[in-house]
Amino acid sequence: GGCTYRATYLGKTVGVKIWNDGGKFSDGSPENEIRNHELLHHHPNIAGATGVLAPPHKGLILRWLENAVSFAGPPSFDSVVRDTLPPDDRVPTSYEEGAIVQAACDMANALRYVHSKGIAHGDIYLHNMIEADAHRRQNQQNLERVERKVYLSDFGAAFSYDTRAHPWIEHVEVVAFGYLLLDLSGFAVCLGLLPPHSSSRRVLEKIGTLCVRNREKDTAYLNALAWNNK
């Protein structure tokens, strides 16, 4: 429904999203997306907006994500509703053994925050999971350490809902999150960055399967958040 451009605002690099054709598109509206960004931009794992263009223009000023790469490509005619592998030259470092579970936990935290605001993301896919600001540094012991951040992006299909009247909406999103975890695990193995029998893969597969079965909608998020304490 729109295009995002790199720009400079108040001396900082930003992204500017401008909607085409008066903001007419199939899965939302500019007004709804602007409102969602205003409610959600404070979370550290959400690629949110920092401002809105003045009328009559319809657009958002977005936080610029340096060296941003998506965890997957969007579905194709062959994969139908499942994401596709990222290009070989744009694979996030978070697929590596020491970071993949934390990346999944960051998404769980972001989605839990979205739902706490009475908002459904509406498009929970790996291709809307972004890694940015990844840099390899040497620590005091002269060992290489990768610094990175993971973000939930693209709120074009997001919408508000009554959490008490329609709890099934969060159930559906938990199922989608489960498939995201299963794809995250499977793609990491396909890319040769995660051993097939690693503990990280077992954790992702276990939580992903729990989410897909969706017997207790809150358990999956609580378990995912508990990874931080291990």
Side-chain angles (χ1 to χ4, degrees):
C3 294
T4 301
Y5 305 91
R6 181 172 180 163
T8 300
Y9 176 65
L10 299 178
K12 295 183 179 180
T13 300
V14 297
V16 177
K17 180 174 182 178
I18 299 176
W19 279 277
N20 302 322
D21 301 320
K24 297 178 181 178
F25 52 101
S26 60
D27 58 358
S29 69
E31 292 78 13
N32 198 46
E33 186 169 348
I34 288 169
R35 178 183 175 275
N36 290 333
H37 273 286
E38 289 175 341
L39 290 173
L40 300 172
H41 74 278
H42 294 293
H43 195 277
N45 296 112
I46 289 177
T50 60
V52 180
L53 297 187
H57 306 289
K58 292 182 178 180
L60 284 167
I61 301 171
L62 303 168
R63 183 192 315 173
W64 182 256
L65 303 181
E66 197 68 40
N67 302 318
V69 288
S70 173
F71 277 74
S76 67
F77 285 112
D78 292 327
S79 67
V80 189
V81 296
R82 302 299 289 272
D83 273 338
T84 54
L85 286 169
D88 291 340
D89 61 342
R90 293 185 61 79
V91 176
T93 63
S94 294
Y95 268 118
E96 297 171 359
E97 169 81 51
I100 192 168
V101 172
Q102 182 60 54
C105 187
D106 289 343
M107 284 301 95
N109 274 294
L111 285 168
R112 189 177 179 88
Y113 180 75
V114 170
H115 291 155
S116 75
K117 297 294 185 180
I119 296 173
H121 183 272
D123 197 15
I124 300 172
Y125 274 98
L126 268 184
H127 68 260
N128 286 328
M129 183 172 166
I130 305 294
E131 178 189 274
D133 307 319
H135 301 284
R136 295 185 181 273
R137 302 182 187 278
Q138 301 293 121
N139 62 16
Q140 292 181 346
Q141 287 74 39
N142 206 33
L143 298 174
E144 187 177 75
R145 180 169 58 92
V146 179
E147 296 178 357
R148 59 175 75 78
K149 286 207 67 174
V150 175
Y151 299 90
L152 176 64
S153 69
D154 193 352
F155 288 83
F159 59 93
S160 300
Y161 69 102
D162 186 325
T163 57
R164 293 184 178 180
H166 304 291
W168 62 269
I169 292 176
E170 184 174 343
H171 285 235
V172 171
E173 297 240 301
V174 170
V175 172
F177 178 65
Y179 282 115
L180 180 150
L181 292 180
L182 295 176
D183 281 347
L184 183 67
S185 169
F187 284 12
V189 173
C190 287
L191 293 165
L193 297 174
L194 192 67
H197 303 294
S198 70
S199 59
S200 293
R201 190 184 189 199
R202 287 196 299 271
V203 169
L204 293 173
E205 295 282 335
K206 180 179 179 179
I207 301 297
T209 301
L210 173 64
C211 290
V212 169
R213 290 176 179 171
N214 199 21
R215 292 175 180 171
E216 297 180 55
K217 70 180 182 67
D218 290 326
T219 302
Y221 282 125
L222 292 174
N223 283 342
L225 293 170
W227 295 337
N228 265 334
N229 299 321
K230 290 186 177 181

